[in-house]
Coordinates of all heavy atoms in Angstrom, one line a residue:
M1 N 2.7 4.1 13.9 CA 4.1 4.6 13.9 C 4.6 5.1 12.6 O 5.2 6.3 12.7 CB 5.0 3.4 14.3 CG 6.4 3.7 14.6 SD 7.4 2.2 14.9 CE 8.6 2.9 15.9
A2 N 4.1 4.6 11.4 CA 4.4 5.1 10.2 C 3.8 6.5 10.0 O 4.3 7.3 9.2 CB 4.1 4.1 9.2
K3 N 2.6 6.6 10.5 CA 1.9 7.9 10.4 C 2.7 9.0 11.1 O 2.7 10.2 10.5 CB 0.5 7.8 10.9 CG -0.4 7.0 10.0 CD -1.8 7.0 10.6 CE -2.8 6.1 9.7 NZ -4.1 6.0 10.2
N4 N 3.0 8.6 12.3 CA 3.9 9.7 13.1 C 5.2 10.1 12.3 O 5.5 11.2 12.2 CB 4.2 9.2 14.4 CG 3.0 9.2 15.4 OD1 2.0 9.8 15.1 ND2 3.0 8.4 16.4
K5 N 5.9 9.1 11.8 CA 7.0 9.3 11.1 C 6.8 10.2 9.9 O 7.6 11.1 9.6 CB 7.8 8.0 10.6 CG 9.1 8.3 10.0 CD 9.7 7.0 9.8 CE 11.1 7.1 9.3 NZ 11.8 5.9 9.0
G6 N 5.7 9.9 9.2 CA 5.3 10.7 7.9 C 5.0 12.0 8.3 O 5.3 13.0 7.6
K7 N 4.3 12.3 9.4 CA 3.8 13.5 9.8 C 4.9 14.4 10.3 O 5.1 15.6 9.9 CB 2.8 13.5 11.0 CG 2.2 14.7 11.5 CD 1.2 14.4 12.6 CE 0.6 15.7 13.0 NZ -0.4 15.6 14.1
N8 N 6.0 13.8 11.0 CA 7.1 14.5 11.5 C 8.0 14.9 10.2 O 8.5 15.9 10.1 CB 8.1 13.6 12.3 CG 7.4 13.5 13.7 OD1 6.5 14.1 14.0 ND2 7.7 12.3 14.3
E9 N 8.0 13.9 9.3 CA 8.9 14.3 7.9 C 8.2 15.4 7.3 O 8.7 16.4 6.7 CB 8.8 13.1 7.0 CG 9.6 13.3 5.8 CD 11.1 13.3 6.0 OE1 11.7 13.1 7.1 OE2 11.8 13.9 5.1
L10 N 6.9 15.5 7.2 CA 6.1 16.6 6.5 C 6.2 17.9 7.3 O 6.5 18.9 6.5 CB 4.5 16.1 6.5 CG 3.8 17.1 5.7 CD1 4.0 17.3 4.2 CD2 2.3 16.6 5.8
E11 N 6.2 17.9 8.5 CA 6.4 19.1 9.3 C 7.8 19.5 9.0 O 8.2 20.9 8.9 CB 6.3 18.8 10.9 CG 4.8 18.7 11.2 CD 4.6 18.3 12.6 OE1 5.6 18.2 13.3 OE2 3.4 18.0 13.0
R12 N 8.8 18.8 9.0 CA 10.2 19.1 8.8 C 10.3 19.8 7.3 O 11.0 20.8 7.2 CB 11.1 18.0 8.8 CG 12.7 18.4 8.8 CD 13.5 17.1 8.8 NE 13.4 16.3 7.6 CZ 13.9 16.5 6.4 NH1 14.6 17.5 6.2 NH2 13.7 15.6 5.4
L13 N 9.8 19.2 6.4 CA 9.8 19.7 5.0 C 9.1 21.0 4.9 O 9.5 21.9 4.2 CB 9.2 18.6 4.1 CG 10.0 17.5 3.8 CD1 9.2 16.5 2.9 CD2 11.3 17.8 3.2
R14 N 8.0 21.3 5.7 CA 7.3 22.5 5.7 C 8.2 23.6 6.2 O 8.3 24.8 5.7 CB 6.1 22.4 6.4 CG 4.9 21.7 5.7 CD 3.7 21.7 6.3 NE 2.7 21.0 5.6 CZ 1.5 20.5 6.1 NH1 1.2 20.6 7.4 NH2 0.6 20.0 5.3
S15 N 8.8 23.3 7.3 CA 9.8 24.3 8.0 C 10.9 24.6 7.0 O 11.3 25.7 6.9 CB 10.2 23.8 9.3 OG 11.0 22.7 9.2
E16 N 11.4 23.6 6.4 CA 12.5 23.9 5.4 C 12.0 24.9 4.3 O 12.7 25.8 3.8 CB 13.1 22.6 4.9 CG 14.0 21.8 5.9 CD 14.5 20.6 5.2 OE1 14.8 20.6 4.0 OE2 14.9 19.6 6.0
A17 N 10.7 24.5 3.8 CA 10.3 25.3 2.7 C 10.1 26.7 3.2 O 10.4 27.7 2.3 CB 9.1 24.6 2.2
A18 N 9.6 26.9 4.4 CA 9.4 28.3 4.9 C 10.7 28.9 5.1 O 10.8 30.2 4.6 CB 8.7 28.2 6.2
S19 N 11.7 28.3 5.5 CA 13.1 29.0 5.6 C 13.6 29.4 4.3 O 14.4 30.3 4.1 CB 14.0 28.2 6.4 OG 14.3 27.0 5.7
L20 N 13.4 28.4 3.3 CA 14.0 28.7 2.0 C 13.2 30.0 1.3 O 13.8 30.8 0.6 CB 13.8 27.5 1.0 CG 14.8 26.4 1.3 CD1 14.3 25.2 0.4 CD2 16.2 26.8 1.1
Q21 N 12.0 30.1 1.5 CA 11.2 31.2 1.1 C 11.6 32.4 1.6 O 11.5 33.5 1.1 CB 9.7 31.1 1.2 CG 9.0 29.9 0.3 CD 7.6 29.7 0.7 OE1 7.0 30.1 1.8 NE2 6.9 29.0 -0.2
Q22 N 12.2 32.4 2.8 CA 12.7 33.6 3.6 C 14.0 33.8 3.2 O 14.7 34.9 3.7 CB 12.5 33.4 5.2 CG 11.1 33.3 5.6 CD 11.0 33.0 7.0 OE1 11.9 32.9 7.6 NE2 9.7 33.0 7.5
G23 N 14.7 33.1 2.4 CA 16.1 33.3 2.0 C 17.2 32.6 3.0 O 18.3 33.1 2.8
E24 N 16.8 32.0 3.9 CA 17.6 31.4 4.9 C 18.3 30.2 4.3 O 17.8 29.5 3.4 CB 17.1 31.0 6.1 CG 16.3 32.2 6.9 CD 15.5 31.9 8.1 OE1 15.5 30.8 8.4 OE2 15.0 32.9 8.7
E25 N 19.3 29.7 4.9 CA 19.9 28.4 4.5 C 19.2 27.4 5.0 O 18.5 27.3 6.2 CB 21.3 28.3 5.2 CG 22.4 29.2 4.5 CD 22.7 28.7 3.1 OE1 22.9 27.4 2.8 OE2 23.0 29.6 2.1
S26 N 19.1 26.2 4.3 CA 18.3 25.0 4.7 C 19.1 24.3 5.8 O 20.3 24.2 5.7 CB 18.1 24.1 3.5 OG 17.6 22.9 4.0
P27 N 18.4 23.9 6.9 CA 19.2 23.3 8.0 C 19.5 21.9 7.7 O 20.4 21.4 8.4 CB 18.1 23.2 9.1 CG 16.7 23.4 8.5 CD 17.0 24.1 7.3
A28 N 19.0 21.2 6.7 CA 19.3 19.9 6.4 C 20.6 19.9 5.3 O 20.6 20.6 4.5 CB 18.2 19.2 5.7
T29 N 21.5 19.1 5.7 CA 22.6 18.9 4.7 C 22.4 17.7 3.8 O 21.4 16.9 4.0 CB 23.9 18.6 5.4 OG1 23.7 17.4 6.1 CG2 24.2 19.8 6.4
A30 N 23.2 17.5 2.8 CA 23.0 16.4 1.9 C 23.1 15.0 2.6 O 22.3 14.2 2.2 CB 24.1 16.4 0.7
D31 N 24.0 15.0 3.6 CA 24.1 13.8 4.3 C 22.9 13.4 5.1 O 22.4 12.2 5.1 CB 25.3 13.8 5.3 CG 26.6 13.9 4.6 OD1 26.8 13.5 3.4 OD2 27.6 14.4 5.3
Q32 N 22.3 14.4 5.7 CA 21.1 14.1 6.5 C 19.9 13.7 5.5 O 19.2 12.9 5.8 CB 20.6 15.5 7.1 CG 21.5 15.9 8.4 CD 21.2 17.1 8.9 OE1 20.7 18.0 8.2 NE2 21.4 17.2 10.2
L33 N 19.9 14.4 4.3 CA 18.8 14.0 3.5 C 19.1 12.6 2.9 O 18.1 11.8 2.8 CB 18.8 14.9 2.2 CG 18.4 16.4 2.4 CD1 18.4 17.4 1.4 CD2 16.8 16.4 2.9
A34 N 20.3 12.2 2.6 CA 20.5 10.8 2.2 C 20.3 9.8 3.3 O 19.8 8.7 2.9 CB 22.1 10.8 1.8
T35 N 20.5 10.1 4.6 CA 20.2 9.2 5.6 C 18.7 9.0 5.8 O 18.2 7.9 6.0 CB 20.8 9.8 6.9 OG1 22.3 10.0 6.8 CG2 20.5 8.9 8.0
T36 N 17.9 10.3 5.6 CA 16.5 10.1 5.6 C 15.9 9.3 4.6 O 15.0 8.4 4.9 CB 15.8 11.5 5.6 OG1 16.3 12.3 6.8 CG2 14.4 11.4 5.8
A37 N 16.5 9.4 3.4 CA 15.9 8.7 2.2 C 16.2 7.1 2.5 O 15.5 6.4 2.1 CB 16.7 9.2 1.0
A38 N 17.4 6.9 3.0 CA 17.7 5.5 3.1 C 16.8 4.8 4.3 O 16.5 3.6 4.1 CB 19.2 5.3 3.6
E39 N 16.6 5.5 5.2 CA 15.6 5.0 6.3 C 14.3 4.8 5.8 O 13.6 3.9 6.1 CB 15.6 6.0 7.5 CG 16.8 6.0 8.3 CD 16.8 7.2 9.4 OE1 15.8 7.9 9.5 OE2 17.7 7.2 10.2
N40 N 13.7 5.8 4.9 CA 12.5 5.6 4.3 C 12.5 4.4 3.4 O 11.4 3.6 3.5 CB 12.0 6.8 3.6 CG 11.8 7.9 4.4 OD1 11.4 7.8 5.6 ND2 11.8 9.1 4.0
N41 N 13.6 4.1 2.7 CA 13.6 3.0 1.7 C 13.6 1.7 2.6 O 12.8 0.7 2.1 CB 14.7 3.0 0.8 CG 14.7 4.2 -0.3 OD1 13.5 4.5 -0.5 ND2 15.7 4.5 -0.8
M42 N 14.3 1.6 3.6 CA 14.3 0.4 4.5 C 13.0 0.2 5.1 O 12.4 -0.9 5.1 CB 15.4 0.6 5.6 CG 16.8 0.4 5.0 SD 18.1 0.6 6.1 CE 17.5 0.6 7.8
T43 N 12.1 1.2 5.6 CA 10.9 1.0 6.2 C 10.0 0.5 5.1 O 9.2 -0.3 5.3 CB 10.4 2.3 6.7 OG1 11.3 2.8 7.8 CG2 9.1 2.1 7.3
D44 N 9.9 1.1 4.0 CA 9.0 0.8 2.9 C 9.3 -0.6 2.4 O 8.4 -1.4 2.2 CB 9.3 1.7 1.6 CG 8.8 3.1 1.9 OD1 8.0 3.4 2.9 OD2 9.1 4.1 1.2
T45 N 10.7 -1.1 2.3 CA 10.8 -2.4 1.9 C 10.3 -3.4 3.0 O 9.7 -4.4 2.6 CB 12.4 -2.6 1.8 OG1 12.9 -1.6 0.9 CG2 12.8 -4.1 1.4
G46 N 10.4 -3.1 4.2 CA 9.8 -4.0 5.2 C 8.3 -4.1 5.1 O 7.7 -5.3 5.2
E47 N 7.6 -3.1 4.8 CA 6.2 -3.1 4.7 C 5.8 -3.7 3.3 O 4.8 -4.4 3.5 CB 5.7 -1.6 4.7 CG 5.8 -0.9 6.1 CD 5.6 0.6 6.1 OE1 5.1 1.0 5.0 OE2 5.5 1.1 7.1
D48 N 6.5 -3.6 2.3 CA 6.2 -4.1 1.0 C 6.4 -5.7 1.2 O 5.6 -6.4 0.6 CB 7.2 -3.6 0.0 CG 6.9 -2.3 -0.5 OD1 5.8 -1.6 -0.1 OD2 7.7 -1.7 -1.0
H49 N 7.5 -6.2 1.9 CA 7.6 -7.6 2.0 C 6.5 -8.2 2.9 O 6.0 -9.2 2.5 CB 8.9 -7.8 2.9 CG 9.3 -9.1 3.1 ND1 9.4 -10.2 2.1 CD2 9.1 -10.0 4.2 CE1 9.6 -11.3 2.7 NE2 9.5 -11.2 4.0
D50 N 6.0 -7.4 3.8 CA 4.8 -7.9 4.6 C 3.7 -8.1 3.7 O 2.9 -9.0 3.9 CB 4.6 -7.0 5.8 CG 3.5 -7.5 6.9 OD1 3.6 -8.8 7.1 OD2 2.7 -6.8 7.2
L51 N 3.4 -7.0 3.0 CA 2.3 -7.0 2.2 C 2.3 -8.1 1.2 O 1.4 -8.6 0.9 CB 2.2 -5.5 1.5 CG 0.9 -5.3 0.5 CD1 -0.4 -5.5 1.3 CD2 1.1 -4.0 -0.2
N52 N 3.5 -8.2 0.5 CA 3.7 -9.4 -0.5 C 3.4 -10.7 0.1 O 2.8 -11.5 -0.5 CB 5.0 -9.2 -1.0 CG 5.2 -8.2 -2.0 OD1 4.2 -7.5 -2.5 ND2 6.4 -7.8 -2.3
S53 N 3.9 -10.9 1.3 CA 3.7 -12.3 2.0 C 2.2 -12.4 2.2 O 1.7 -13.6 2.1 CB 4.5 -12.3 3.2 OG 4.0 -11.5 4.2
R54 N 1.5 -11.4 2.6 CA 0.0 -11.5 2.8 C -0.8 -11.7 1.7 O -1.7 -12.6 1.6 CB -0.5 -10.3 3.6 CG -0.1 -10.2 4.9 CD -0.7 -9.0 5.7 NE -0.3 -9.0 7.1 CZ -1.0 -8.2 8.0 NH1 -2.0 -7.6 7.6 NH2 -0.5 -8.3 9.3
L55 N -0.4 -11.2 0.5 CA -1.0 -11.4 -0.7 C -0.8 -12.8 -1.2 O -1.6 -13.4 -1.7 CB -0.6 -10.4 -1.8 CG -1.2 -8.9 -1.6 CD1 -0.5 -7.9 -2.6 CD2 -2.6 -9.0 -1.7
E56 N 0.5 -13.2 -1.1 CA 0.8 -14.6 -1.5 C -0.1 -15.6 -0.7 O -0.6 -16.7 -1.3 CB 2.3 -14.9 -1.3 CG 3.1 -14.3 -2.3 CD 4.7 -14.4 -2.1 OE1 5.0 -15.2 -1.1 OE2 5.5 -13.9 -2.8
E57 N -0.2 -15.4 0.5 CA -1.1 -16.2 1.5 C -2.5 -16.2 1.0 O -3.1 -17.3 0.9 CB -1.0 -15.8 2.9 CG -1.7 -16.7 3.8 CD -1.4 -16.2 5.3 OE1 -0.6 -15.5 5.6 OE2 -2.4 -16.5 6.0
L58 N -3.0 -15.0 0.7 CA -4.4 -14.9 0.2 C -4.6 -15.8 -1.1 O -5.6 -16.5 -1.3 CB -4.7 -13.4 -0.1 CG -6.1 -13.2 -0.6 CD1 -7.1 -13.8 0.3 CD2 -6.3 -11.8 -1.0
V59 N -3.7 -15.6 -2.0 CA -3.7 -16.3 -3.4 C -3.8 -17.8 -3.1 O -4.5 -18.5 -3.8 CB -2.6 -15.8 -4.3 CG1 -2.5 -16.7 -5.5 CG2 -2.8 -14.3 -4.8
E60 N -2.9 -18.3 -2.2 CA -2.8 -19.7 -1.9 C -4.1 -20.3 -1.3 O -4.7 -21.3 -1.8 CB -1.7 -20.0 -0.9 CG -0.3 -19.8 -1.6 CD 0.8 -20.0 -0.5 OE1 0.6 -20.4 0.7 OE2 2.0 -19.7 -1.0
V61 N -4.7 -19.5 -0.4 CA -5.9 -19.8 0.2 C -7.1 -19.9 -0.9 O -7.9 -20.8 -0.9 CB -6.4 -18.9 1.3 CG1 -7.8 -19.1 1.8 CG2 -5.4 -19.0 2.5
L62 N -7.0 -18.8 -1.8 CA -8.1 -18.9 -2.8 C -7.9 -20.0 -3.8 O -9.0 -20.6 -4.2 CB -7.9 -17.5 -3.6 CG -8.6 -16.2 -2.8 CD1 -8.3 -15.0 -3.6 CD2 -10.1 -16.4 -2.5
E63 N -6.7 -20.3 -4.2 CA -6.5 -21.5 -5.0 C -6.9 -22.7 -4.4 O -7.7 -23.6 -5.2 CB -4.9 -21.6 -5.4 CG -4.4 -20.6 -6.3 CD -2.9 -20.7 -6.5 OE1 -2.3 -21.5 -5.8 OE2 -2.5 -20.1 -7.5
Q64 N -6.7 -22.9 -3.1 CA -7.2 -24.1 -2.5 C -8.8 -24.2 -2.5 O -9.3 -25.2 -2.7 CB -6.6 -24.3 -1.2 CG -6.9 -25.5 -0.4 CD -6.4 -26.8 -1.1 OE1 -5.2 -26.6 -1.6 NE2 -7.1 -27.9 -1.1
E65 N -9.4 -23.0 -2.2 CA -10.8 -22.9 -2.2 C -11.4 -23.3 -3.5 O -12.5 -24.0 -3.6 CB -11.3 -21.6 -1.7 CG -11.2 -21.3 -0.2 CD -11.9 -22.3 0.7 OE1 -13.1 -22.6 0.3 OE2 -11.4 -22.6 1.7
L66 N -10.8 -22.8 -4.6 CA -11.3 -23.1 -5.9 C -11.1 -24.5 -6.3 O -12.0 -25.1 -7.0 CB -10.5 -22.2 -6.9 CG -10.9 -20.8 -7.0 CD1 -10.0 -20.0 -7.9 CD2 -12.4 -20.6 -7.5
K67 N -10.0 -25.3 -5.8 CA -9.9 -26.6 -6.1 C -10.9 -27.4 -5.3 O -11.3 -28.5 -5.8 CB -8.5 -26.9 -5.7 CG -7.4 -26.5 -6.5 CD -5.9 -26.9 -6.1 CE -4.9 -26.3 -6.9 NZ -3.5 -26.6 -6.5
D68 N -11.3 -27.1 -4.1 CA -12.2 -27.9 -3.3 C -13.7 -27.5 -3.7 O -14.7 -28.3 -3.4 CB -12.1 -27.4 -1.8 CG -10.7 -27.8 -1.3 OD1 -10.1 -28.7 -2.0 OD2 -10.3 -27.4 -0.2
T69 N -13.9 -26.4 -4.5 CA -15.3 -26.2 -4.7 C -15.8 -26.8 -6.2 O -15.0 -27.1 -7.0 CB -15.6 -24.6 -4.9 OG1 -15.0 -23.9 -3.8 CG2 -16.9 -24.2 -5.1
S70 N -17.0 -27.3 -6.1 CA -17.6 -27.9 -7.2 C -17.7 -26.9 -8.5 O -18.1 -25.8 -8.3 CB -19.0 -28.4 -6.9 OG -19.8 -28.7 -8.0
P71 N -17.4 -27.4 -9.5 CA -17.4 -26.6 -10.9 C -18.8 -26.0 -11.1 O -18.9 -24.8 -11.6 CB -17.0 -27.5 -12.0 CG -16.2 -28.6 -11.4 CD -16.8 -28.7 -10.0
I72 N -19.8 -26.7 -10.8 CA -21.2 -26.3 -11.0 C -21.5 -25.1 -10.1 O -22.1 -24.0 -10.6 CB -22.3 -27.4 -10.7 CG1 -22.1 -28.6 -11.6 CG2 -23.7 -26.8 -10.7 CD1 -22.4 -28.2 -13.0
T73 N -21.1 -25.0 -8.9 CA -21.2 -23.9 -8.0 C -20.4 -22.7 -8.5 O -20.9 -21.7 -8.4 CB -20.7 -24.3 -6.5 OG1 -21.3 -25.5 -6.0 CG2 -20.8 -23.2 -5.6
L74 N -19.2 -23.0 -8.9 CA -18.5 -21.9 -9.5 C -19.2 -21.3 -10.7 O -19.3 -19.9 -10.9 CB -17.0 -22.2 -9.9 CG -16.1 -22.7 -8.9 CD1 -14.8 -23.3 -9.4 CD2 -15.9 -21.6 -8.0
L75 N -19.8 -22.1 -11.6 CA -20.5 -21.5 -12.8 C -21.7 -20.8 -12.4 O -22.0 -19.7 -12.9 CB -20.9 -22.8 -13.7 CG -19.8 -23.2 -14.5 CD1 -20.2 -24.5 -15.3 CD2 -19.3 -22.3 -15.6
I76 N -22.5 -21.2 -11.3 CA -23.7 -20.5 -10.8 C -23.3 -19.2 -10.2 O -23.9 -18.1 -10.6 CB -24.4 -21.4 -9.8 CG1 -25.1 -22.6 -10.5 CG2 -25.5 -20.6 -9.1 CD1 -25.5 -23.6 -9.6
V77 N -22.2 -19.2 -9.5 CA -21.8 -17.9 -8.9 C -21.3 -16.9 -10.0 O -21.6 -15.7 -10.0 CB -20.6 -18.1 -7.8 CG1 -19.9 -16.8 -7.4 CG2 -21.2 -19.0 -6.6
F78 N -20.7 -17.5 -11.0 CA -20.3 -16.6 -12.1 C -21.3 -16.0 -12.8 O -21.5 -14.8 -13.2 CB -19.3 -17.4 -13.0 CG -18.8 -16.5 -14.2 CD1 -17.8 -15.6 -14.1 CD2 -19.2 -16.8 -15.4 CE1 -17.3 -14.8 -15.1 CE2 -18.7 -16.1 -16.6 CZ -17.8 -15.2 -16.4
A79 N -22.3 -17.0 -13.1 CA -23.5 -16.4 -13.8 C -24.4 -15.3 -12.9 O -24.8 -14.4 -13.5 CB -24.5 -17.7 -14.1
L80 N -24.5 -15.6 -11.6 CA -25.1 -14.6 -10.8 C -24.4 -13.2 -10.9 O -25.0 -12.1 -10.8 CB -25.3 -15.1 -9.4 CG -26.2 -16.3 -9.2 CD1 -26.3 -16.7 -7.7 CD2 -27.7 -15.7 -9.4
G81 N -23.1 -13.3 -10.8 CA -22.3 -12.1 -11.0 C -22.5 -11.3 -12.3 O -22.7 -10.0 -12.2
I82 N -22.6 -12.0 -13.3 CA -22.9 -11.4 -14.6 C -24.4 -10.8 -14.6 O -24.6 -9.7 -14.9 CB -22.8 -12.4 -15.7 CG1 -21.3 -12.8 -16.0 CG2 -23.5 -11.8 -17.0 CD1 -21.2 -13.8 -17.0
L83 N -25.4 -11.5 -14.0 CA -26.7 -11.1 -13.9 C -26.8 -9.8 -13.1 O -27.4 -8.8 -13.5 CB -27.6 -12.2 -13.3 CG -29.1 -11.8 -13.2 CD1 -29.7 -11.6 -14.6 CD2 -29.8 -12.9 -12.4
I84 N -26.2 -9.8 -11.9 CA -26.3 -8.6 -11.0 C -25.6 -7.5 -11.6 O -26.0 -6.3 -11.6 CB -25.7 -9.0 -9.6 CG1 -26.6 -10.0 -9.1 CG2 -25.5 -7.7 -8.8 CD1 -26.0 -10.6 -7.7
G85 N -24.4 -7.7 -12.4 CA -23.8 -6.7 -13.0 C -24.6 -6.0 -14.2 O -24.6 -4.7 -14.3
R86 N -25.5 -6.9 -14.9 CA -26.2 -6.3 -15.9 C -27.5 -5.4 -15.3 O -27.9 -4.5 -15.9 CB -26.8 -7.5 -16.8 CG -25.7 -8.2 -17.5 CD -25.6 -7.5 -18.8 NE -24.5 -8.4 -19.5 CZ -24.2 -8.3 -20.6 NH1 -24.7 -7.3 -21.4 NH2 -23.2 -8.9 -21.3
L87 N -27.9 -5.9 -14.1 CA -29.1 -5.2 -13.6 C -28.8 -4.0 -12.8 O -29.6 -3.1 -12.7 CB -29.8 -6.2 -12.5 CG -30.4 -7.4 -13.1 CD1 -31.0 -8.4 -12.0 CD2 -31.5 -7.1 -14.2
L88 N -27.5 -3.8 -12.4 CA -27.2 -2.5 -11.6 C -27.2 -1.4 -12.7 O -26.7 -1.5 -13.8 CB -25.8 -2.7 -11.0 CG -25.8 -3.8 -9.8 CD1 -24.3 -3.7 -9.4 CD2 -26.7 -3.1 -8.7
P89 N -27.6 -0.3 -12.2 CA -27.4 0.9 -13.2 C -25.9 1.4 -13.3 O -25.2 1.3 -12.4 CB -28.4 2.0 -12.4 CG -28.3 1.7 -11.0 CD -28.1 0.0 -11.0
R90 N -25.8 2.0 -14.5 CA -24.4 2.4 -14.7 C -24.3 3.8 -14.3 O -24.3 4.8 -14.2 CB -24.2 2.3 -16.3 CG -24.0 0.8 -16.7 CD -23.9 0.7 -18.2 NE -24.0 -0.8 -18.4 CZ -23.4 -1.4 -19.4 NH1 -22.5 -0.7 -20.0 NH2 -23.6 -2.5 -19.6

């Protein structure tokens, strides 16, 4: 849905740019542009909130996993990460 909205917005902007290049008046008024900007901000805020909540959930799960995992296991995984990083070509 967001892709379609973005695509429609892009097509509208392209048609406005073409009309401006031809010397015509722009069909969009300041009120229409303000309304479009407000709608985009509301949509972005909702998506940002959803993304933030998912990231918070991921961090909580990772924290719990780290608390439940043995320190020796964590050190071994860390050491293997360093070893693999050194062996990979740059």
Side-chain angles (χ1 to χ4, degrees):
M1 182 177 208
K3 288 182 181 181
N4 289 338
K5 186 175 181 179
K7 187 176 181 180
N8 292 339
E9 183 71 15
L10 184 60
E11 289 174 5
R12 185 184 67 78
L13 290 173
R14 283 183 180 157
S15 66
E16 284 182 31
S19 67
L20 287 174
Q21 287 176 348
Q22 295 173 356
E24 298 173 2
E25 286 291 319
S26 175
T29 63
D31 292 336
Q32 288 173 330
L33 292 174
T35 303
T36 303
E39 289 173 355
N40 288 340
N41 286 340
M42 288 180 6
T43 302
D44 292 343
T45 304
E47 291 172 359
D48 289 345
H49 179 69
D50 186 45
L51 180 62
N52 286 340
S53 65
R54 287 184 178 198
L55 285 174
E56 288 175 4
E57 182 180 335
L58 176 65
V59 168
E60 290 174 5
V61 168
L62 288 174
E63 284 178 352
Q64 188 61 39
E65 287 294 323
L66 286 173
K67 288 178 185 175
D68 293 342
T69 306
S70 165
I72 299 294
T73 304
L74 294 175
L75 285 173
I76 291 171
V77 170
F78 182 72
L80 286 173
I82 292 174
L83 179 64
I84 291 172
R86 299 264 179 180
L87 293 175
L88 289 175
R90 292 178 188 211

